[in-house]
Amino acid sequence: QVQLVESGGGLVQTGGSLSLSCAASGRTFSSFTMGWFRQAPGKERQFVAGLSCSGGYTYYVDSVKGRFTISGDNAKNTMNLQMNNLKPEDTAVYYCAADRRCRSNYVEVRGGLYDYWGQGTQVTVSS
């Protein structure tokens, strides 16, 4: 079993920055493919960014490329999402997730195939 706990959400103005963290316990997260997803009110859950289990491959949805950066800290068993130049359309509950399949240079974008999920953290970007 893996437990995931997100932190770092909050309220920020357009153009601001936030850093989200996902702490994993139970197993080292480096053995999983990790992903960030978000869900805005009335919308479907959306893949945001992912990190391969090797840590050497990242993938982003087009709308956040150049603004968001995903990274992992093996020593702390955490995954981070640095979000810069935030826009109102980034407002959502952000979830981290773990996929037990470990494949080099690949990140799963389909949330239904992830095995473990955190409880989510709210990010609100005011205009």
Side-chain angles (χ1 to χ4, degrees):
Q1 284 289 341
V2 174
Q3 292 78 44
L4 303 175
V5 178
E6 303 96 336
S7 61
L11 173 65
V12 66
Q13 292 184 333
T14 296
S17 298
L18 282 174
S19 182
L20 304 184
S21 290
C22 175
S25 60
R27 284 185 60 181
T28 177
F29 85 95
S30 61
S31 62
F32 295 87
T33 298
M34 300 296 294
W36 284 100
F37 291 78
R38 64 187 180 187
Q39 188 166 21
K43 295 187 177 181
E44 293 186 354
R45 183 177 58 196
Q46 177 191 33
F47 172 85
V48 176
L51 179 68
S52 67
C53 58
S54 67
Y57 179 78
T58 59
Y59 185 76
Y60 301 88
V61 68
D62 285 347
S63 59
V64 307
K65 285 181 180 177
R67 301 189 298 122
F68 290 12
T69 303
I70 189 172
S71 63
D73 186 333
N74 289 342
K76 296 182 179 179
N77 214 31
T78 60
M79 175 181 65
N80 304 302
L81 185 67
Q82 178 65 41
M83 306 185 294
N84 298 327
N85 191 21
L86 284 160
K87 304 175 181 181
E89 51 264 42
D90 295 318
T91 295
V93 177
Y94 282 70
Y95 300 89
C96 71
D99 173 3
R100 287 178 294 183
R101 297 168 299 172
C102 179
R103 291 162 290 179
S104 60
N105 299 328
Y106 182 81
V107 168
E108 180 61 64
V109 300
R110 294 169 290 180
L113 297 182
Y114 280 72
D115 302 288
Y116 305 101
W117 291 84
Q119 82 289 349
T121 185
Q122 176 70 47
V123 171
T124 303
V125 185
S126 63
S127 56

